[in-house]
Amino acid sequence: MKAVVMAGGEGTRLRPMTSSMPKPLLPVANRPIMEHVLRLLKRHGLTETVVTVQFLASLVKNYFGDGEELGMELTYAHEEKPLGTAGSVKNAEDALKDDTFLVISGDALTDFDLSDLIAFHKEKGALVTVCLTRVPNPLEFGITIVDDEGKVERFLEKPTWGQVFSDTVNTGIYVMEPEVFDYVEADVPVDWSGDVFPQLMKEGKPVYGYVAEGYWEDVGTHESYVKAQADVLEGKVDVELDGFEISPGVWVAEGAEVHPDAVLRGPVYIGDYAKVEADVEIREHTVIGSNVVVKSGAFLHKAVVHDNVYIGPHSNLRGCVIGKNTDIMRAARIEDGAVIGDECLVGEESIVQGNVRVYPFKTVEAGAFVNTSVIWESRGQAHLFGARGVSGILNVEITPELAVRLAGAYATTLKKGATVTTARDHSRGARALKRAVISALQASAIDVRDLENVPLPVARQQTARGSAGGIMIRTTPGVPDSLDIMFFDERGADLSQAGQRKLDRVYARQEYRRAFPGEIGDLSFPSSVFDQYTGALLRRVDTTGISEAGLKVVVDASNGSAGLVLPSLLGRLGVDSLTINPGLDESRPTESAESRRAGLVRLGEIVASARAAFGVRFDTVGERLSLVDERGRIIEDDRALLVMLDLVAAERRSGRVALPVTTTRIAEQVAAYHGTQVDWTTTSPDDLTRVGREESTIFGGDGRGGFIVPEFSSVFDGTAAFVRLIGLVARTQLTLSQIDARIPRAHVLRRDLATPWAVKGLVMRRVVEAAGDRHVDTTDGVRVVEADGRWVLVLPDPAEAVTHLWAEGPDDTSAQALLDEWAAVVDSAGR
């Protein structure tokens, strides 16, 4: 039986380590990861192996040759272009077409029992057997559920936390029959998990999952790379180490010289022909490569040092990675999480701060203080983007330096000469950072249209008028000392998950495009943006009947930028309006929940005394809307969604409504009564936006004051929702309280539970298991539906160590009981 080792990946997340070295050659305990893999294959009798190569292929071939030194027979299948996980194996079909074969990644460290995996495959008569394991954080892997017989029931590649339904993941190790090649097209990119397996499962082919016991680490990030070293030294993975264990946990390879006065606190590894001088202290989880010199007085702790490195006297290395042929001079200090690439020079008494990446062939001058601290990583966050873009405390986490790098990364994802629209709210912090963003964009050959201070919906609409994208900087809602940097696509919508990941990758590599002197971008300031916005709004949203109805409304602009667009709008609507709090207040760029509530109470008092038809209150950037009925009573946001839904559906009588899965199922009753249907989406705004763009969609909302008016825009727009509401009320000739009264009361309760990151995947698996035979919906998180229609939704938070729960029943008592029941399931799994 033959094996295939996939060794063609670029390992972009591991740069700068992989800038000049393919990922499979990265050393773990002084041996390439792929060598550990090949030795495992040999241990299980798989000596005939095909290696698929693409990125820096010659380095892999030169290192391993024909495999004779390992007692194996290696051949190579070279890809001219990346073909994906399945396409690369298809490229080696001629060598594999006659018998069962095993596929394994050349850059994952494992000691799984491959013989047992193969025996399981043959026993089940499988076409494909996927080797599975359980991990704390399943986001970067394909999660899988198998039945009692081991057959794969459900599979999802690289989920978001909202899509996690298990902690059992695909390791990228497969046993396959040659017939599988019939499902892989030649010479085009094809992936096993994304393309082939779904098709096999659709056709009912025997695809099985084998849950392996043992060690497995996908060495895909700097953190997992350092962890793999520590795990080998701790004996958590069964691999071979060269050298001698001279004391418990202290391994020294052949030819290494360690001075008797050096202090070694295991577990540590000293490579062959390394030299460690007197008064050196090397502490746990440190790996020293071949031919490394460590001079007197140096201190190393959890450091990974590749071959041929010079570590000068009194230098200090903590939790860092040092590439091969690099010189670390006297008294240099390299902090936790930093990575120094190959063939660099770090000068005397210089300091490289934590999480800094120094790419190959660079020089850090003597005495330099290199500080490009990545705040997001120090917070333990895997990605830049949260629920509102890139967010953080002003001048602590969101700094001008960060803004420049982010804008440079965003510009790098666009074509030279493209146009980006920028905007901000009325806070001083947003004004300052926007200037930094504009400079970075122009320096990256991007033309900038700066709108200055405008409502968020105006920024989105203007972005969609011919720009390649947009950036809006605003104060985080409810958090006055924080800012959100929001990125838009060419339609003015938030960047998709794929767009965010692309920007994330460029930012992580710190490989920014810069313009030549003649390519510096232009800066322009469009005029009449409010007139353009209101003109387009009034053309597309139905305003018939408004002037005849003689409505009186009260509008609260909340001292925010929403007030900027109202003067050009209200006069053209033909409605009697009273505007309050229209002026901008730089000291109040956002408002707390308490001040918002107090503002709604005051609005209600004014509506009642003025005998107005209703009142609306915008948030400070005009994105969201709150309602007060004609009696002055506050209509809560989740209730306002049902009122708007009833009005729209009653008028349209057909079409689809986009709502997140957290919405009460009363919405289905309202929609169905008027001949419309609900399209349930995830809680992500970009998913609502996606459905809002579809032709049959007539309305969308999130139950938190965000409304989509599809005839005008596919994003949340408070002003458009206001105009649509006036028209609907004018034509229906019913008051908001009358509409509210005819809608059944909903009983949805919510609870948040603290959940450590390490057990989130386990929690979701336990929820699926506890569901048993009940209907399970995995649109977002896991929604379990009882036979009587009650339901509970369990949703992991993507940015915090929290799990959210929603439960709905016929009354609050029933919903509370359901919430308590499933909170206990989450709690028990999280302990």
Side-chain angles (χ1 to χ4, degrees):
M1 181 171 169
K2 293 182 180 180
V4 183
V5 175
M6 294 185 291
E10 293 189 33
T12 53
R13 291 179 297 167
L14 282 165
R15 291 185 179 178
M17 284 190 286
T18 53
S19 294
S20 52
M21 179 188 298
K23 184 178 170 185
L25 290 187
L26 283 179
V28 172
N30 227 31
R31 269 196 181 131
I33 305 173
M34 185 173 145
E35 184 172 339
H36 290 297
V37 172
L38 291 174
R39 288 175 182 269
L40 175 67
L41 292 174
K42 182 184 176 185
R43 202 183 311 163
H44 291 277
L46 299 163
T47 56
E48 289 186 64
T49 298
V50 181
V51 181
T52 66
V53 291
Q54 196 264 325
F55 178 69
L56 298 177
S58 60
L59 297 183
V60 177
K61 292 179 180 179
N62 291 341
Y63 187 93
F64 292 105
D66 60 7
E68 182 180 2
E69 290 186 12
L70 293 173
M72 302 182 72
E73 296 178 28
L74 301 185
T75 55
Y76 297 89
H78 191 280
E79 303 169 43
E80 296 300 327
K81 59 182 181 180
L83 294 175
T85 53
S88 64
V89 178
K90 174 76 170 181
N91 199 41
E93 180 179 5
D94 287 345
L96 304 169
K97 61 186 178 182
D98 297 327
D99 196 4
T100 306
F101 60 92
L102 181 140
V103 178
I104 191 169
S105 172
D107 50 28
L109 188 65
T110 183
D111 59 6
F112 287 160
D113 189 338
L114 302 181
S115 298
D116 201 37
L117 168 64
I118 295 167
F120 175 90
H121 173 83
K122 293 182 176 178
E123 175 192 337
K124 297 294 183 181
L127 175 62
V128 174
T129 297
V130 182
C131 185
L132 309 172
T133 192
R134 296 194 168 110
V135 298
N137 183 350
L139 289 190
E140 294 299 323
F141 312 105
I143 57 176
T144 310
I145 289 181
V146 296
D147 63 17
D148 293 339
E149 297 298 316
K151 198 164 187 177
V152 174
E153 286 187 329
R154 192 178 302 166
F155 183 87
L156 179 64
E157 182 69 9
K158 293 190 177 181
T160 64
W161 269 119
Q163 297 170 316
V164 169
F165 46 75
S166 176
D167 61 349
T168 307
V169 304
N170 177 4
T171 65
I173 303 172
Y174 313 116
V175 182
M176 298 177 163
E177 298 301 321
E179 290 79 6
V180 78
F181 288 125
D182 296 340
Y183 295 85
V184 184
E185 188 176 349
D187 297 322
V188 297
V190 183
D191 282 323
W192 292 121
S193 54
D195 303 311
V196 179
F197 295 164
Q199 183 62 32
L200 293 177
M201 293 170 65
K202 183 178 178 181
E203 295 185 14
K205 299 295 183 182
V207 178
Y208 282 81
Y210 169 87
V211 181
E213 299 295 332
Y215 181 91
W216 179 80
E217 180 71 45
D218 175 45
V219 186
T221 64
H222 295 283
E223 293 77 16
S224 61
Y225 178 67
V226 173
K227 178 180 182 294
Q229 313 280 346
D231 290 343
V232 168
L233 296 179
E234 293 277 3
K236 294 180 179 179
V237 51
D238 182 15
V239 298
E240 301 173 31
L241 288 176
D242 284 334
F244 312 93
E245 192 173 12
I246 61 174
S247 62
V250 177
W251 290 81
V252 177
E254 178 184 353
E257 298 179 27
V258 180
H259 195 281
D261 292 337
V263 177
L264 305 182
R265 301 184 186 277
V268 300
Y269 183 88
I270 311 297
D272 55 314
Y273 301 103
K275 182 177 182 181
V276 179
E277 294 189 350
D279 300 321
V280 167
E281 183 174 356
I282 300 178
R283 298 189 59 180
E284 61 269 17
H285 301 159
T286 295
V287 175
I288 304 294
S290 301
N291 303 307
V292 171
V293 175
V294 186
K295 301 296 288 183
S296 177
F299 175 87
L300 294 86
H301 183 206
K302 296 183 179 179
V304 179
V305 182
H306 293 181
D307 297 346
N308 304 311
V309 170
Y310 173 88
I311 300 174
H314 304 290
S315 54
N316 191 305
L317 281 62
R318 299 173 183 264
C320 56
V321 178
I322 310 298
K324 66 179 184 293
N325 303 320
T326 286
D327 294 331
I328 310 296
M329 308 309 290
R330 181 186 62 82
R333 184 180 185 92
I334 303 177
E335 298 285 4
D336 187 47
V339 179
I340 311 297
D342 296 345
E343 300 189 39
C344 289
L345 172 64
V346 180
E348 294 184 357
E349 298 185 4
S350 58
I351 298 175
V352 178
Q353 284 267 300
N355 298 313
V356 167
R357 305 288 187 255
V358 179
Y359 274 62
F361 315 111
K362 302 294 189 297
T363 297
V364 176
E365 295 182 357
F369 184 83
V370 182
N371 178 10
T372 55
S373 182
V374 182
I375 295 296
W376 303 97
E377 289 184 19
S378 66
R379 283 175 53 186
Q381 190 161 329
H383 302 287
L384 285 168
F385 285 85
R388 300 174 302 272
V390 180
S391 305
I393 301 171
L394 175 63
N395 280 336
V396 176
E397 296 164 304
I398 301 293
T399 63
E401 296 89 346
L402 176 78
V404 167
R405 294 199 301 272
L406 272 173
Y410 183 55
T412 304
T413 68
L414 305 174
K415 294 180 179 179
K416 281 188 176 182
T419 299
V420 168
T421 297
T422 59
R424 61 172 175 86
D425 70 6
H426 57 286
S427 67
R428 291 188 177 185
R431 178 192 290 128
L433 262 66
K434 182 174 64 66
R435 292 168 178 164
V437 164
I438 290 172
S439 296
L441 292 171
Q442 289 182 276
S444 300
I446 296 294
D447 294 334
V448 178
R449 298 173 69 246
D450 184 28
L451 305 178
E452 301 184 279
N453 175 25
V454 296
L456 180 53
V458 174
R460 293 185 185 277
Q461 187 237 21
Q462 287 290 314
T463 298
R465 293 170 63 92
S467 295
I471 299 177
M472 171 86 179
I473 304 178
R474 68 166 183 183
T475 306
T476 303
V479 189
D481 60 351
S482 292
L483 287 180
D484 302 334
I485 303 178
M486 306 176 69
F487 292 87
F488 306 149
D489 63 17
E490 71 280 1
R491 293 181 291 244
D494 292 342
L495 277 187
S496 65
Q497 293 289 329
Q500 292 179 17
R501 285 194 291 268
K502 183 177 180 181
L503 175 54
D504 218 340
R505 287 195 299 270
V506 175
Y507 177 84
R509 298 176 197 167
Q510 299 187 26
E511 297 175 343
Y512 312 127
R513 181 187 68 216
R514 292 290 178 248
F516 296 111
E519 297 177 327
I520 300 296
D522 290 333
L523 175 61
S524 61
F525 300 91
S527 59
S528 305
V529 292
F530 298 129
D531 288 338
Q532 292 173 12
Y533 172 81
T534 55
L537 178 57
L538 294 175
R539 284 193 302 272
R540 296 177 189 173
V541 178
D542 187 0
T543 59
T544 56
I546 293 179
S547 57
E548 295 83 2
L551 293 177
K552 184 177 184 180
V553 297
V554 182
V555 182
D556 187 348
S558 306
N559 296 115
S561 56
L564 297 173
V565 76
L566 291 175
S568 62
L569 175 67
L570 293 172
R572 298 167 67 179
L573 270 177
V575 65
D576 183 8
S577 63
L578 171 62
T579 302
I580 61 175
N581 300 315
L584 295 176
D585 185 351
E586 284 190 353
S587 66
R588 292 174 54 240
T590 185
E591 55 186 359
S592 65
E594 294 78 15
S595 63
R596 174 180 174 274
R597 191 73 184 180
L600 283 170
V601 170
R602 288 194 298 272
L603 174 63
E605 293 169 350
I606 296 171
V607 169
S609 63
R611 298 183 180 179
F614 61 87
V616 297
R617 189 171 199 271
F618 293 99
D619 68 357
T620 52
V621 292
E623 183 180 38
R624 296 177 181 274
L625 194 69
S626 297
L627 300 183
V628 170
D629 69 16
E630 77 284 357
R631 301 176 186 176
R633 295 187 304 184
I634 299 169
I635 303 177
E636 302 298 341
D637 287 344
D638 56 347
R639 196 71 189 166
L641 176 62
L642 296 177
V643 170
M644 288 283 282
L645 168 60
D646 185 88
L647 281 165
V648 173
E651 184 170 272
R652 291 296 188 89
R653 296 288 176 177
S654 65
R656 297 159 61 215
V657 175
L659 301 174
V661 290
T662 51
T663 308
T664 171
R665 266 46 191 177
I666 297 292
E668 281 188 320
Q669 299 177 31
V670 174
Y673 180 79
H674 296 298
T676 61
Q677 66 180 52
V678 175
D679 197 334
W680 297 108
T681 75
T682 71
T683 53
S684 171
D686 67 292
D687 201 22
L688 273 169
T689 296
R690 174 186 59 79
V691 179
R693 283 196 296 265
E694 296 178 5
E695 189 174 340
S696 59
T697 303
I698 60 170
F699 174 68
D702 68 350
R704 295 184 293 114
F707 298 103
I708 295 174
V709 181
E711 58 264 41
F712 177 66
S713 171
S714 62
V715 297
F716 295 147
D717 189 329
T719 308
F722 168 57
V723 173
R724 192 178 199 187
L725 177 62
I726 294 174
L728 290 166
V729 171
R731 292 188 293 275
T732 195
Q733 296 185 349
L734 293 173
T735 65
L736 293 190
S737 63
Q738 289 172 328
I739 297 165
D740 188 19
R742 73 186 188 187
I743 300 172
R745 313 312 292 182
H747 301 277
V748 179
L749 301 180
R750 175 176 171 174
R751 187 179 301 174
D752 294 340
L753 297 175
T755 307
W757 284 101
V759 299
K760 277 192 172 183
L762 172 63
V763 164
M764 300 312 292
R765 174 163 62 90
R766 292 281 171 82
V767 169
V768 172
E769 291 171 351
D773 295 332
R774 286 169 283 198
H775 175 69
V776 172
D777 174 13
T778 57
T779 299
D780 200 14
V782 173
R783 190 173 74 94
V784 182
V785 183
E786 303 284 346
D788 59 4
R790 293 179 304 148
W791 58 268
V792 65
L793 173 67
V794 183
L795 178 66
D797 191 282
E800 299 178 15
V802 171
T803 299
H804 307 293
L805 285 82
W806 287 263
E808 181 172 26
D811 51 55
D812 282 348
T813 302
S814 174
Q816 186 66 55
L818 192 62
L819 197 62
D820 291 341
E821 175 190 345
W822 287 93
V825 174
V826 173
D827 267 337
S828 65
R831 290 195 188 106

